[in-house]
Amino acid sequence: MYPPIEDHGIIGNLRTAALVSLDGTIDFFCPVRFDNPSLFASLLDDEHGGFCSIRPESNHYRRKQLYLPDTNILMTRFLAPEGIAEIIDFIPLGGDPEQSTIIRQVSVTRGEMALRFECQPTFDYASECHHEISKRSGVLSLQSEVPLSIDEHSVASDFHLKAGERQIFLLSYLPNDSTPPTWQPSQSEQLLNETVRYWREWVAGCNYHGRWRETIIRSALLLKLLTYERTGAIVAAPTFGLPEEIGGVRNWDYRYTWLRDAAFSLNAFLRLGHHKEALQFMSWMKQISSKVDIVAAQRKKKPLPVMHAIDGEKDLREREISSLKGYRGSGPVRIGNAVQSQLQLDAPGAMLAVLFFEVNEGLMLEYDRWNKMREVLGWVAKMWDQPDRGIWEIRGEPRHFLHSKLMCWVAFDRAIKIAQLRSLPAPINDWLRTRDEIYASIHAEFWNDQIKAFVQSKGSAELDATALLMISLGFLGPSDPRWISTLEAVTAKLAQDTTVSRYDTKTGVDGLPGTEGTFSPCSFWYVNALTMSGELERARLVFEKMLGYSNHVGLYELGQSGEHLGNFPQALTHLALILSALGLNDALDGKGPIRSKAA
């Protein structure tokens, strides 16, 4: 009834995205924008969620799915004794920004095949069926040359194709019933060629030609697909509500931009030579930050926003919806995210780390942006010794987390280096004092001499995978005894072969019931840590074994027993893959640790 999460590819147009399963079903799609209400969501409710499927009438067939090389255009292939059929799915770029069109080209390449098309949309998170359409929910226009039958809940067609024959289905979401669709079926071949050309020209701008290039390009294509074209904001994932544990409550909405994740995504884009994406995001961040009174937040000791809607405007309040029962009954399904009001201290460090990389790459640092960063550092100086919710955004009581303090140290360390490198005005002595105070605090309060490791939070004996970042962020050196023993402790307690958990959920630190599986970004952090520690053979083995955990089209999110769980696919996983691969490739080529190029 519910396909495995990993049995999906993704298509998109830099505004929104859709998931297409191996059986030819679009079972997740939010039209127009990543964060709009769903039109198809049978992945979250197999009875009422809505879907669009194309599949053979016969039950005796094999399935394959792949991307056209160097594109985000998906092909699903059905292989049966009587013939071979293919579906090419894509979302054209451009067009009316208030519309979304999915084009489904169906053809038979050998023999003949009877196929069935069925479309059952449900609007506004499955709260409205197609026969209850309101102007608020919009309209789905379906164009095709095959006869269509319409009943109370769906539109369907049974059709037959022989070798060389093709049918086109255009699904266009329109803001109201008087808006004509932008495109017609006769334009599908032209639109396909234009879409192929766009993605391949973008890939051609990548300057990486080392090991695992195909894997890196696939991850880069995903990061680009998850980038909202109007602002440059990168969503954490295109989905909401997919569970981190079957039957559990860890079901969140990831269709927004986290500053931390976006900052490191920019790092990945910059290292691959895609400066346009970085510059656009910087411009958007300038607009967003201009609306935040950082000085007032510093004075009142209030949190700074760590998450934004892709346009910076949408209300992100978290709420549960009852119209979708959840993937395999894993409820509640939530939209919005309460993270927006949390105190998290690590985002400024991520932004300063990327800014330092930009400066090293020779990018221009604007006067206004530097002044805004100085305001942010004033806030960090006031707040760094406060307990917070941390990178894992716990729902339990705030704590003093190692990673939060580490990133506060990074913020001051990179700011000092930027100011000195560019001879910029800055209270260097104040920043030096604060940086060194944080450094001393981490060594005094987060080192556990009994387990010989830096621990998750002050005074605890628990480990956290974020400790793996201490070497890549330059806080510790590869020969430091405390780093060596911390790496050994994390390996022993959190690593299972090549996969790594965030932390032990049984401690209750996150304030949530249930457990979760390993977390793929942590596994790639582990690769990076091994690389920078000089353990190159082990790092390469871990990395290449991790590649085997991707799904059939190179996408990720791992669950407890190797199945993919959680919102899918995640930007953080793929940017961690890219950065670990680039660092490992450099090290294998004898170019030194990645810390010499970026922090």
Side-chain angles (χ1 to χ4, degrees):
M1 300 297 289
Y2 288 94
I5 293 172
E6 65 261 31
D7 280 7
H8 290 84
I10 184 172
I11 56 175
N13 66 344
L14 309 181
R15 298 174 188 165
T16 186
L19 297 186
V20 185
S21 72
L22 268 168
D23 68 359
T25 299
I26 301 173
D27 53 20
F28 188 95
F29 176 54
C30 297
V32 181
R33 283 175 40 146
F34 292 106
D35 54 359
N36 267 358
S38 62
L39 180 66
F40 302 135
S42 60
L43 190 58
L44 290 167
D45 192 317
D46 61 345
E47 293 182 291
H48 307 109
F51 64 90
C52 176
S53 67
I54 301 174
R55 65 183 69 182
E57 292 277 16
S58 167
N59 290 323
H60 303 289
Y61 60 88
R62 293 179 295 119
R63 309 168 300 171
K64 290 184 180 292
Q65 197 173 63
L66 64 152
Y67 282 107
L68 300 188
D70 291 345
T71 76
N72 280 312
I73 297 169
L74 195 66
M75 177 187 289
T76 305
R77 182 176 287 153
F78 302 116
L79 303 100
E82 65 271 23
I84 298 175
E86 294 177 347
I87 308 169
I88 293 179
D89 284 308
F90 66 102
I91 305 180
L93 293 98
D96 187 339
E98 298 302 316
Q99 296 186 18
S100 285
T101 297
I102 298 175
I103 297 181
R104 314 201 73 185
Q105 292 189 358
V106 191
S107 61
V108 167
T109 61
R110 184 187 64 78
E112 56 186 316
M113 192 172 290
L115 299 122
R116 179 173 177 80
F117 170 88
E118 187 171 4
C119 182
Q120 182 178 306
T122 57
F123 295 80
D124 195 11
Y125 301 112
S127 64
E128 297 180 10
C129 297
H130 75 89
H131 62 284
E132 299 172 338
I133 294 171
S134 69
K135 289 184 179 180
R136 177 173 62 86
S137 297
V139 177
L140 180 64
S141 166
L142 175 59
Q143 301 175 77
S144 178
E145 295 178 354
V146 301
L148 300 170
S149 62
I150 303 174
D151 64 22
E152 185 180 7
H153 298 291
S154 64
V155 179
S157 176
D158 296 306
F159 60 102
H160 186 276
L161 296 177
K162 296 180 180 179
E165 294 181 338
R166 184 179 66 179
Q167 283 293 343
I168 310 296
F169 296 89
L170 261 68
L171 291 78
S172 298
Y173 174 88
L174 311 174
N176 58 65
D177 56 7
S178 63
T179 305
T182 298
W183 294 302
Q184 301 297 319
S186 60
Q187 297 173 271
S188 65
E189 195 64 28
Q190 173 192 344
L191 291 169
L192 175 61
N193 292 335
E194 290 174 355
T195 307
V196 167
R197 187 180 310 116
Y198 173 86
W199 290 116
R200 288 182 176 166
E201 287 179 355
W202 187 83
V203 167
C206 176
N207 61 14
Y208 180 76
H209 299 282
R211 300 170 182 84
W212 315 293
R213 186 176 190 274
E214 185 176 349
T215 297
I216 289 173
I217 291 300
R218 176 50 51 200
S219 289
L221 278 164
L222 175 68
L223 292 183
K224 179 62 175 176
L225 185 146
L226 297 181
T227 302
Y228 186 51
E229 66 174 358
R230 189 164 68 82
T231 62
I234 302 169
V235 296
T239 56
F240 64 91
L242 292 177
E244 296 174 11
E245 177 188 27
I246 299 300
V249 301
R250 299 165 184 258
N251 316 316
W252 316 112
D253 189 348
Y254 277 10
R255 299 171 297 160
Y256 312 115
T257 296
W258 272 253
L259 297 185
R260 170 201 318 115
D261 297 8
F264 289 121
S265 294
L266 293 186
N267 195 349
F269 279 140
L270 286 168
R271 295 197 64 191
L272 293 174
H274 291 292
H275 287 193
K276 178 182 176 182
E277 286 72 16
L279 293 172
Q280 185 185 18
F281 183 79
M282 292 172 208
S283 176
W284 180 66
M285 277 307 305
K286 182 179 177 180
Q287 297 175 27
I288 292 295
S289 61
S290 68
K291 302 175 183 179
V292 179
D293 191 338
I294 299 172
V295 175
Q298 174 185 340
R299 185 174 62 252
K300 298 177 182 179
K301 288 194 171 184
K302 296 290 186 180
L304 292 180
V306 295
M307 179 190 75
H308 295 276
I310 53 177
D311 63 356
E313 302 293 340
K314 193 169 184 176
D315 180 8
L316 303 182
R317 284 177 295 178
E318 184 174 298
R319 61 188 178 92
E320 298 177 4
I321 55 174
S322 59
S323 52
L324 294 169
K325 60 189 177 184
Y327 177 77
R328 291 169 58 184
S330 303
V333 174
R334 299 181 179 90
I335 58 174
N337 202 307
V339 165
Q340 64 170 341
S341 60
Q342 285 188 351
L343 174 62
Q344 295 179 28
L345 296 171
D346 64 318
M351 297 300 293
L352 264 298
V354 173
L355 184 59
F356 178 59
F357 181 79
E358 295 170 23
V359 170
N360 275 339
E361 289 288 290
L363 272 67
M364 181 178 293
L365 177 54
E366 296 178 357
Y367 172 82
D368 290 340
R369 190 177 178 206
W370 177 245
N371 281 345
K372 186 60 69 172
M373 286 294 101
R374 289 179 61 181
E375 289 183 5
V376 170
L377 286 161
W379 178 86
V380 178
K382 191 86 169 181
M383 302 293 292
W384 75 265
D385 61 350
Q386 301 296 306
D388 74 334
R389 306 282 180 169
I391 184 175
W392 305 131
E393 301 172 342
I394 65 166
R395 300 293 175 113
E397 289 299 313
R399 300 192 181 199
H400 291 276
F401 286 104
L402 167 66
H403 183 259
S404 297
K405 310 307 182 192
L406 174 64
M407 294 307 294
C408 289
W409 177 88
V410 167
F412 286 103
D413 181 74
R414 303 313 189 267
I416 292 165
K417 291 174 179 175
I418 293 168
Q420 292 173 336
L421 189 63
R422 289 288 179 89
S423 300
L424 296 172
I428 297 289
N429 290 334
D430 291 342
W431 290 354
L432 282 167
R433 280 193 296 270
T434 305
R435 183 197 66 178
D436 294 348
E437 186 179 352
I438 299 171
Y439 179 89
S441 170
I442 290 173
H443 277 283
E445 299 175 314
F446 293 87
W447 173 257
N448 186 312
D449 205 45
Q450 290 184 325
I451 63 174
K452 301 297 181 185
F454 286 97
V455 290
Q456 181 183 59
S457 60
K458 184 165 68 174
S460 78
E462 304 301 328
L463 295 171
D464 193 298
T466 54
L468 295 168
L469 299 173
M470 299 180 82
I471 185 171
S472 62
L473 293 169
F475 186 85
L476 297 172
S479 61
D480 190 314
R482 288 190 168 190
W483 163 249
I484 294 170
S485 61
T486 296
L487 178 59
E488 291 174 350
V490 169
T491 299
K493 296 293 185 180
L494 298 180
Q496 300 92 46
D497 189 35
T498 62
T499 61
V500 180
S501 300
R502 298 189 298 170
Y503 53 87
D504 184 357
T505 55
K506 295 176 183 177
T507 64
V509 65
D510 54 26
L512 294 166
T515 60
E516 62 182 45
T518 56
F519 192 48
S520 298
C522 299
S523 300
F524 292 114
W525 295 348
Y526 186 51
V527 171
N528 208 42
L530 292 170
T531 299
M532 298 192 71
S533 298
E535 299 187 42
L536 299 188
E537 290 186 9
R538 186 175 166 200
R540 183 168 188 168
L541 177 63
V542 171
F543 179 78
E544 293 183 335
K545 288 185 73 174
M546 271 302 299
L547 298 185
Y549 281 108
S550 71
N551 79 345
H552 58 287
V553 287
L555 306 177
Y556 283 88
E557 204 44 63
L558 287 185
Q560 208 161 20
S561 58
E563 81 278 28
H564 291 226
L565 291 175
N567 285 307
F568 171 89
Q570 283 200 29
L572 184 61
T573 299
H574 289 270
L575 74 92
L577 183 157
I578 291 171
L579 294 176
S580 66
L582 295 179
L584 180 55
N585 183 73
D586 283 353
L588 290 169
D589 285 345
K591 295 180 181 178
I594 62 171
R595 194 171 69 253
S596 65
K597 285 185 124 182

